[in-house]
């Protein structure tokens, strides 16, 4: 085993070694839990209420690592050991397969134009399946040299990006069934990649080298790079609370809003960063903390600036960044002034790893509209409509899928 491969194995083991806060096993297909949550109302007061979480069980026997949903309401889940499941809207298991080699299923994608077509990454392989009959693959591609962590399909569905443990991103031309680009700039594991909506030749990526990159596929090199640790250096210019732990800004997840110009990144330092693409450059619009441990998942809701985040602290939060994004869009700020503002914001956030109390909006802090004490380290977050209503689907260290309603939003 190579040094990089060994470190990748250790990373995956570390991701999976979080102790469950709720130890009761999932034994029923539908198991409802009252989960502690806090909702921000329009008058800035905090309202405590109980969310009913529905548990989809009876499919997997190992921790679920990834989720995706089709436009027709089908849900697919991938788990450790090569397991892949298809589910109906009511949580009924519809199909199951286990890939040869039993490599973890790390990412899955439905085709928007053909909802029965499903892409799944397992090990270094990408398989194409028909969700109506999961027993055999329609096709498979072995283009990555190391384990794949994330897949992304562009809007025209002719390109599929796969990010792997070597730090490489392979761009697969689905029409010609061959690699059209090999993007190699990350010096460590590339954890997440996402094509930009409305821009089929542009994508963003992040990795455990603490770098976030913007790519244009007309070039083999990134058009923009930032190192998140440099932000941390700025943050350290402000006073830190005694005993406060400073985790490295290993980047775990990126998500692009429907507009294509705003994207988010979640990192191990517990911080969520929002970036704006302007031409071939990006600027950090804002950064904020709500999680006490690393942010493992970020996910923009469709056609909005509502952002879901999930963390290793077992919390799920919903943020509304629209006012900040739109305010800065109308009144662009000079870079030098932006940095001063950012450091001032960091000073105010020093030592705050809890959800801010009511009234802190006036002091310039971003606060979550919704905070859910899920109780398990979040492996994957998905926002999708089920029976006409928006829901949050969560994959964690259990073999169950948790479903939270978002009817209020």
């Amino acid at each position: 085993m190579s040094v990089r491969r060994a470190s990748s194995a250790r990373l995956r083991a570390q991701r999976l070694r979080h102790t469950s806060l709720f130890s009761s096993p999932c034994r029923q297909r539908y198991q409802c839990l009252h989960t502690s949550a806090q909702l921000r109302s329009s008058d800035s007061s905090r309202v405590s209420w109980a969310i009913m979480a529905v548990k989809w069980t009876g499919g997997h026997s190992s921790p679920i690592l990834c989720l995706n949903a089709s436009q027709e309401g089908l849900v697919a889940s991938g788990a450790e050991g090569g397991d892949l499941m298809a589910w109906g809207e009511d949580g009924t298991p519809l199909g199951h397969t286990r890939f040869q080699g039993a490599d973890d299923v790390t990412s899955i994608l439905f085709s928007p134009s053909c909802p029965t077509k499903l892409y799944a990454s397992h090990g270094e392989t990408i398989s194409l399946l028909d969700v109506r009959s999961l027993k055999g693959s329609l096709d498979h591609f072995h283009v990555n040299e190391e384990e794949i962590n994330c897949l992304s399909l562009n809007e025209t569905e002719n390109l599929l990006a796969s990010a792997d443990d070597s730090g490489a991103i392979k761009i697969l031309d689905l029409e010609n069934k061959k690699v059209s680009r090999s993007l190699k700039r990350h010096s460590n594991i590339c954890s997440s990649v996402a094509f930009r909506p409305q821009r089929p030749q542009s994508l963003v990526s992040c990795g455990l080298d603490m770098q976030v990159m913007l790519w244009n596929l007309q070039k083999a090199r990134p058009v923009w790079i930032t190192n998140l640790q440099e932000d941390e250096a700025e943050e350290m210019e402000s006073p830190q609370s005694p005993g406060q732990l400073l985790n490295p800004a290993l980047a775990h997840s990126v998500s692009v809003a429907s507009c294509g110009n705003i994207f988010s990144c979640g990192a191990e330092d517990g911080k969520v960063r929002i970036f704006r693409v302007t031409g071939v450059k990006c600027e950090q619009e804002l950064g904020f903390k709500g999680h006490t441990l690393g942010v493992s998942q970020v996910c923009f809701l469709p056609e909005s600036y509502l952002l879901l985040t999930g963390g290793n602290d077992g919390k799920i939060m919903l943020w509304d960044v629209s006012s900040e994004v739109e305010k800065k869009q109308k009144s662009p700020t000079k870079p030098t002034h932006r940095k001063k503002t950012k450091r001032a914001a960091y000073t105010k956030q020093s030592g705050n790893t809890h959800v801010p109390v009511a009234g802190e909006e006036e002091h310039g802090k971003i606060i979550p509209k919704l905070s859910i004490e899920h109780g398990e380290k979040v492996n994957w977050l998905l926002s999708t409509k089920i029976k006409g209503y928006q829901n949050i689907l969560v994959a964690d260290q259990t073999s169950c899928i948790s479903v939270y309603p978002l009817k209020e939003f």
Side-chain angles (χ1 to χ4, degrees):
M1 179 182 289
S2 68
V3 175
R4 184 178 293 278
R5 189 66 177 162
S7 72
S8 172
R10 288 196 297 271
L11 170 72
R12 190 165 296 282
Q14 184 182 18
R15 286 174 175 172
L16 299 176
R17 209 180 294 136
H18 291 271
T19 304
S20 168
L21 302 183
F22 295 115
S23 58
S24 59
C26 301
R27 296 177 180 173
Q28 303 174 0
R29 175 167 297 175
Y30 308 106
Q31 183 181 41
C32 296
L33 297 177
H34 283 286
T35 303
S36 173
Q38 290 179 330
L39 174 69
R40 297 290 288 192
S41 64
S42 58
D43 62 355
S44 298
S45 62
R46 174 171 289 180
V47 181
S48 296
W49 55 297
I51 290 183
M52 186 74 74
V54 176
K55 297 281 187 175
W56 291 1
T57 69
H60 296 285
S61 58
S62 56
I64 300 172
L65 303 177
C66 56
L67 298 166
N68 200 242
S70 75
Q71 294 182 347
E72 294 184 349
L74 292 177
V75 173
S77 57
E80 291 182 12
D83 272 353
L84 179 69
M85 287 289 306
W87 308 78
E89 283 188 311
D90 58 355
T92 302
L94 301 178
H96 169 266
T97 191
R98 176 170 291 177
F99 293 110
Q100 289 184 352
D103 290 314
D104 296 347
V105 181
T106 53
S107 188
I108 47 181
L109 286 176
F110 278 98
S111 162
S113 64
C114 183
T116 59
K117 188 186 294 184
L118 180 69
Y119 297 93
S121 64
H122 48 103
E124 301 89 23
T125 303
I126 303 169
S127 292
L128 173 61
L129 305 102
D130 187 329
V131 74
R132 296 168 297 186
S133 178
L134 292 174
K135 294 304 179 185
S137 299
L138 301 176
D139 206 345
H140 67 275
F141 310 97
H142 194 116
V143 296
N144 292 78
E145 297 175 359
E146 296 197 25
E147 185 176 26
I148 298 168
N149 297 308
C150 186
L151 298 175
S152 182
L153 191 64
N154 71 348
E155 279 193 344
T156 53
E157 295 190 48
N158 65 318
L159 298 176
L160 180 68
S162 54
D164 66 26
D165 279 359
S166 74
I169 303 168
K170 300 292 185 178
I171 306 299
L172 181 63
D173 185 328
L174 295 175
E175 295 174 356
N176 298 317
K177 298 185 178 181
K178 64 179 184 181
V179 174
S180 63
R181 285 285 187 189
S182 184
L183 310 178
K184 297 181 179 180
R185 190 59 185 267
H186 286 285
S187 59
N188 205 323
I189 292 169
C190 184
S191 49
S192 184
V193 63
F195 274 102
R196 294 170 60 199
Q198 305 178 46
R199 293 154 186 86
Q201 292 287 317
S202 181
L203 53 85
V204 294
S205 65
C206 71
L208 301 195
D209 55 1
M210 296 180 282
Q211 295 192 100
V212 180
M213 303 185 187
L214 172 68
W215 303 83
N216 186 320
L217 296 184
Q218 295 175 351
K219 300 179 180 180
R221 64 182 186 278
V223 296
W224 173 86
I225 302 175
T226 190
N227 190 312
L228 301 184
Q229 198 63 27
E230 294 176 0
D231 290 341
E232 290 304 297
E234 280 194 20
E235 184 172 355
M236 289 184 68
E237 294 178 14
S238 59
Q240 299 295 316
S241 298
Q244 182 180 0
L245 296 177
L246 295 176
N247 290 326
L250 310 176
H252 294 310
S253 178
V254 290
S255 177
V256 188
S258 298
C259 68
N261 287 327
I262 300 294
F263 70 91
S264 61
C265 178
E268 185 64 25
D269 58 359
K271 190 172 179 181
V272 178
R273 296 166 174 85
I274 307 295
F275 296 90
R276 180 189 299 278
V277 183
T278 53
V280 295
K281 295 183 179 180
C282 301
E283 288 189 0
Q284 182 174 318
E285 293 286 280
L286 65 152
F288 50 90
K289 285 187 177 181
H291 294 276
T292 57
L293 296 174
V295 180
S296 56
Q297 281 280 294
V298 291
C299 175
F300 272 109
L301 270 63
E303 307 299 330
S304 77
Y305 292 126
L306 290 173
L307 178 68
L308 281 171
T309 63
N312 296 337
D313 56 2
K315 292 181 181 178
I316 299 164
M317 297 184 182
L318 180 69
W319 311 80
D320 186 355
V321 300
S322 60
S323 59
E324 293 293 322
V325 168
E326 291 166 359
K327 178 174 64 178
K328 294 192 176 185
Q329 186 173 11
K330 294 176 182 178
S331 304
T333 311
K334 294 181 180 180
T336 53
H337 179 64
R338 184 180 63 84
K339 288 185 178 180
K340 291 179 181 178
T341 303
K342 185 168 60 176
R343 284 197 292 267
Y346 290 151
T347 303
K348 293 175 183 177
Q349 289 183 354
S350 296
N352 284 331
T353 54
H354 63 283
V355 178
V357 297
E360 286 186 342
E361 283 176 322
E362 291 80 1
H363 300 288
K365 288 197 175 185
I366 305 296
I367 56 175
K369 292 180 69 67
L370 176 67
S371 181
I372 300 172
E373 292 284 351
H374 178 65
E376 291 279 353
K377 181 255 183 186
V378 175
N379 289 334
W380 205 275
L381 279 179
L382 174 68
S383 173
T384 188
K385 283 190 176 181
I386 296 177
K387 298 180 180 178
Y389 292 101
Q390 203 72 29
N391 287 263
I392 306 172
L393 273 63
V394 187
D396 54 34
Q397 293 303 102
T398 71
S399 59
C400 314
I401 298 174
S402 299
V403 182
Y404 294 97
L406 273 181
K407 294 182 181 180
E408 289 77 11
F409 302 93

